[in-house]
Amino acid sequence: MTDYSPKPEHRFTFGLWTVGNPGGDPFGYATREHKTPAELVYLLGEVGAYGVNFHDNDLLPIDASPAEVEAIKKEFSKALADTGLVVPMATTDLFHEPIFKDGAFTSNDPKVRAYAIQKTLKAIDLGVEFGAKTYVFWGGREGTETDSSKSAIEAIKRNREAMNFFCEYALDKKYDLKFALEAKPNEPRGDIYNPTTGHMLAFIATLDHPEMVGVNPEVAHEHMAGINFMHGVAQAWEAGKLFHIDLNDQYPGRYDQDLRFGSRDIKAAFYLVKFLEDVKYDGSRHFDAHAYRTEDFNGVKDFARGCMRTYLILKEKAAQFNADKEIQALLAEINADDGAMTPFLGKYSPEKASALKAESFDRAAISKRGLKYERLDQLTIDILTGTR
Ligand code: GLT
Ligand code: MN
Ligand code: MN
């Protein structure tokens, strides 16, 4: 049997807020006690994670005194050194505090916008201090309940202004840092701006330093909107913009569930892992999820181990798919090309266009061919269910 134990080269990371999630929800109180950042690092070390990510206030409470800040940082650094965990990513909490009730960078109140930028500048410094090379922006409050309240155009402009500010700041400080924007369609706001990875990609192209900014797609966020997650990831990858990824799971059309990776849609998870492994994505595999509310901290470890184990099982299944002779023969057949269309395809030329317009196509004959996708899909299912 294959070894499914996580290793540093797998780049498995968790946020402090994921394994530290106390199990509260809008209808019920926490079911697990608070753990310190250092305690969570030891927990992650025990289950075999490679790295830990944090929001500024996961690490440092917003009103921590300078002495408290120093003590927490010292304890956290010791835990990192003891476990060998690294901090590949950091981010800002721009959603818990009441001041962000109507947005951070997109708030109608210039004082809120200025405070949000100030908080982010300090949080960037904190992330860099601990070695983060990727900085995530998830604008959970950047949206509306009523569109009477805010101009959607102004919101885009304010968001752009903020991102341009941070790019210049990172350049100014000579930080080795790239930014990754994370989309979500709704929750906690009724609607959130730039709701999908595709919207984010279009937004990035309008920035002053688009080369510094990519995306951090999250499985659950696109599944909430009923979107094929892997397709969005592929688009980001092809554009050179897949800077980070948030892995979890989610039933479509429901509240934000942040389920253990691969626990809901195993087939979608398979195609995703296959994609990441096939293209040799070498960034963090960040599990942005949390244990069921029913669990104690042993259950949290089961959850974390499960995320990584499922990823590695699916990675093995992807290798099996790629090595399967019958599957590969079907794929070769599906993609067969006798070269007859080469003169017509590819880059435009006036001659090519004229030749193509003069060519006749036998639509009925072309359409007659069965594509064998039923067989191919069943072979995939056989692999996934371990029957092949
Ligand atoms: C929050 C959210 C996540 C984001 C995190 C980064 S925080 O838990 O649900 O999807 O990635 O801010
Ligand atoms: Mn996320
Ligand atoms: Mn989420």
Side-chain angles (χ1 to χ4, degrees):
M1 205 190 90
T2 316
D3 176 16
Y4 298 122
S5 52
K7 310 231 163 33
E9 70 258 27
H10 298 134
R11 297 281 181 273
F12 291 141
T13 67
F14 291 82
L16 284 179
W17 69 94
T18 65
V19 284
N21 182 294
D25 67 25
F27 301 96
Y29 305 124
T31 58
R32 291 184 285 269
E33 75 270 20
H34 172 80
K35 293 240 185 243
T36 65
E39 285 172 330
L40 294 169
V41 171
Y42 288 115
L43 184 152
L44 287 173
E46 190 185 329
V47 298
Y50 160 75
V52 59
N53 309 312
F54 58 74
H55 295 87
D56 49 354
N57 303 136
D58 296 334
L59 187 62
L60 306 174
I62 195 160
D63 291 321
S65 68
E68 283 164 344
V69 165
E70 282 324 302
I72 295 168
K73 282 187 183 175
K74 208 172 147 201
E75 218 194 347
F76 186 65
S77 300
K78 182 175 183 314
L80 292 174
D82 287 349
T83 56
L85 258 78
V86 294
V87 177
M89 178 272 260
T91 182
T92 329
D93 185 336
L94 296 169
F95 40 92
H96 271 109
E97 290 292 317
I99 188 171
F100 300 126
K101 64 187 178 187
D102 191 30
F105 308 142
T106 65
S107 167
N108 281 332
D109 185 339
K111 280 205 187 69
V112 176
R113 297 204 297 276
Y115 173 68
I117 293 174
Q118 181 206 60
K119 190 173 194 292
T120 304
L121 294 176
K122 291 181 180 177
I124 289 175
D125 293 346
L126 181 69
V128 170
E129 184 182 336
F130 281 96
K133 298 270 187 289
T134 305
Y135 201 86
V136 163
F137 289 83
W138 174 64
R141 299 280 172 196
E142 313 292 12
T144 61
E145 281 72 43
T146 168
D147 284 329
S148 306
S149 65
K150 212 183 274 182
S151 155
I153 296 255
E154 277 310 308
I156 293 167
K157 289 186 173 158
R158 290 169 185 167
N159 234 330
R160 181 184 300 125
E161 193 177 271
M163 286 314 303
N164 286 339
F165 200 103
F166 299 130
C167 287
E168 294 294 348
Y169 181 71
L171 290 169
D172 203 12
K173 291 277 176 187
K174 303 200 168 28
Y175 285 161
D176 176 16
L177 196 63
K178 51 191 181 169
F179 298 128
L181 309 186
E182 178 176 345
K184 190 177 184 185
N186 58 273
E187 202 184 344
R189 294 314 294 268
D191 289 289
I192 299 177
Y193 297 119
N194 280 335
T196 67
T197 297
H199 288 80
M200 283 300 184
L201 289 170
F203 171 71
I204 290 167
T206 71
L207 299 175
D208 288 348
H209 292 283
E211 71 286 353
M212 295 174 69
V213 187
V215 290
N216 176 39
E218 174 170 317
V219 178
H221 296 179
E222 314 269 327
H223 282 188
M224 282 171 78
I227 290 173
N228 183 313
F229 182 67
M230 185 271 280
H231 291 186
V233 168
Q235 191 174 352
W237 173 264
E238 205 272 338
K241 292 294 182 195
L242 188 64
F243 287 8
H244 200 262
I245 194 161
D246 277 3
L247 303 174
N248 54 11
D249 218 341
Q250 169 80 32
Y251 284 79
R254 300 200 184 175
Y255 67 95
D256 182 8
Q257 296 175 304
D258 286 337
L259 297 169
R260 190 178 77 257
F261 178 62
S263 62
R264 204 290 298 190
D265 191 339
I266 193 84
K267 201 173 171 189
F270 166 72
Y271 288 125
L272 175 66
V273 171
K274 183 176 176 322
F275 178 85
L276 295 175
E277 296 301 321
D278 282 353
V279 300
K280 301 190 170 31
Y281 166 76
D282 66 359
S284 288
R285 274 84 172 156
H286 173 228
F287 298 104
D288 187 9
H290 53 76
Y292 304 142
R293 191 164 179 265
T294 49
E295 304 307 292
D296 60 10
F297 275 95
N298 285 322
V300 171
K301 287 180 208 167
D302 288 338
F303 147 81
R305 288 192 176 107
C307 286
M308 298 185 283
R309 181 177 170 84
T310 299
Y311 188 100
L312 292 175
I313 293 170
L314 294 176
K315 180 176 170 177
E316 183 185 58
K317 299 286 180 192
Q320 190 188 342
F321 181 102
N322 289 341
D324 189 299
K325 292 212 165 56
E326 190 177 351
I327 289 177
Q328 292 311 314
L330 280 171
L331 287 173
E333 194 184 324
I334 290 160
N335 289 293
D337 183 351
D338 64 4
M341 292 297 113
T342 307
F344 306 124
L345 295 172
K347 198 171 157 50
Y348 174 83
S349 74
E351 298 72 33
K352 202 177 261 185
S354 305
L356 184 55
K357 283 166 85 178
E359 180 71 5
S360 70
F361 290 91
D362 184 344
R363 296 200 312 278
I366 295 169
S367 326
K368 255 202 161 100
R369 180 183 163 210
L371 297 181
K372 303 185 183 169
Y373 290 174
E374 285 288 359
R375 176 81 190 130
L376 188 58
D377 189 75
Q378 188 58 44
L379 290 168
T380 309
I381 293 289
D382 283 2
I383 285 184
L384 283 179
T385 51
T387 40
R388 188 173 172 81

